[in-house]
Amino acid sequence: NAAYYSEQVQQTTVKMLNSLSAGLNVMRPSMMETGLESVAYNLNRKNNDLQFFEFGKVYSTNGVGKYDEQQHLSLLITGKTSLDNWKSKGSKADFYYAKAACERVLAICGLKISEFIVEENDKLDSVVAVKVKNETVAVIGSVNKKALDLFDIKQPVMYVDIIWEKVTT
């Protein structure tokens, strides 16, 4: 998975000096990869309709001795969001479902979204940044094919990354 990170992410990644293995030699730069591991694990066991959340820290650096640690809440949604019934098939997870989930979390926290800005992202397609008072507090998007292929995931996965420290201050 290390080959997937862009040049910029590799430059800001916090590396560990005495790691136990090559796979665990960096501090988590993003919540997405650990979430996708859980999605892949469940999909391989025929659990195709998933709505996960993960709360934890991500780490970055801007040079020696300049480290940043942030709390994030990530949401991963894939498969159907409602069950089939006699009248209709269940609806599938899409960008708008993920956007509504993000809006609801921010509303519960007492925040009013000021705007959505379309952005580019190495790991996501159809990306929007969620702004509150001109500050990005969340990112919403569909995990791109390159990232899904790394985890051997064959169905679309929606991803929401909320910067928790910006939501609770």
Side-chain angles (χ1 to χ4, degrees):
N1 294 346
Y4 177 65
Y5 293 115
S6 68
E7 179 82 21
Q8 182 182 6
V9 171
Q10 287 182 10
Q11 290 175 355
T12 61
T13 300
V14 178
K15 294 168 182 63
M16 296 177 62
L17 295 176
N18 295 321
S19 65
L20 296 175
S21 73
L24 301 172
N25 64 346
V26 296
M27 301 290 281
R28 177 169 55 186
S30 167
M31 301 282 283
M32 182 184 298
E33 289 74 20
T34 53
L36 289 176
E37 284 178 4
S38 296
V39 168
Y41 180 87
N42 280 272
L43 291 175
N44 289 336
R45 283 148 186 83
K46 305 299 181 207
N47 297 320
N48 296 326
D49 305 325
L50 306 169
Q51 296 185 39
F52 287 160
F53 76 93
E54 183 176 3
F55 186 77
K57 294 181 180 181
V58 298
Y59 304 89
S60 63
T61 184
N62 290 326
V64 177
K66 298 177 185 176
Y67 299 102
D68 186 31
E69 175 182 321
Q70 286 186 331
Q71 291 278 1
H72 284 242
L73 171 65
S74 67
L75 310 174
L76 292 107
I77 307 160
T78 188
K80 293 182 180 178
T81 58
S82 62
L83 299 174
D84 294 340
N85 61 43
W86 67 274
K87 283 176 76 173
S88 63
K89 293 210 179 256
S91 56
K92 290 189 177 188
D94 62 4
F95 175 83
Y96 297 104
Y97 188 87
K99 180 178 173 266
C102 179
E103 288 174 330
R104 186 68 185 134
V105 169
L106 295 179
I108 289 170
C109 293
L111 297 176
K112 184 172 170 77
I113 297 169
S114 57
E115 63 183 328
F116 295 94
I117 304 290
V118 176
E119 287 190 346
E120 294 288 324
N121 190 301
D122 292 344
K123 302 175 193 175
L124 299 172
D125 293 331
S126 305
V127 183
V128 296
V130 181
K131 299 219 178 224
V132 173
K133 297 180 184 174
N134 293 327
E135 187 170 16
T136 300
V137 297
V139 175
I140 306 167
S142 173
V143 180
N144 68 23
K145 183 168 176 18
K146 186 176 179 182
L148 293 176
D149 287 347
L150 281 174
F151 294 92
D152 199 27
I153 297 173
K154 306 284 188 245
Q155 65 188 51
V157 177
M158 301 303 124
Y159 180 72
V160 178
D161 184 29
I162 300 171
I163 305 167
W164 196 249
E165 292 173 358
K166 292 183 180 181
V167 169
T168 58
T169 56

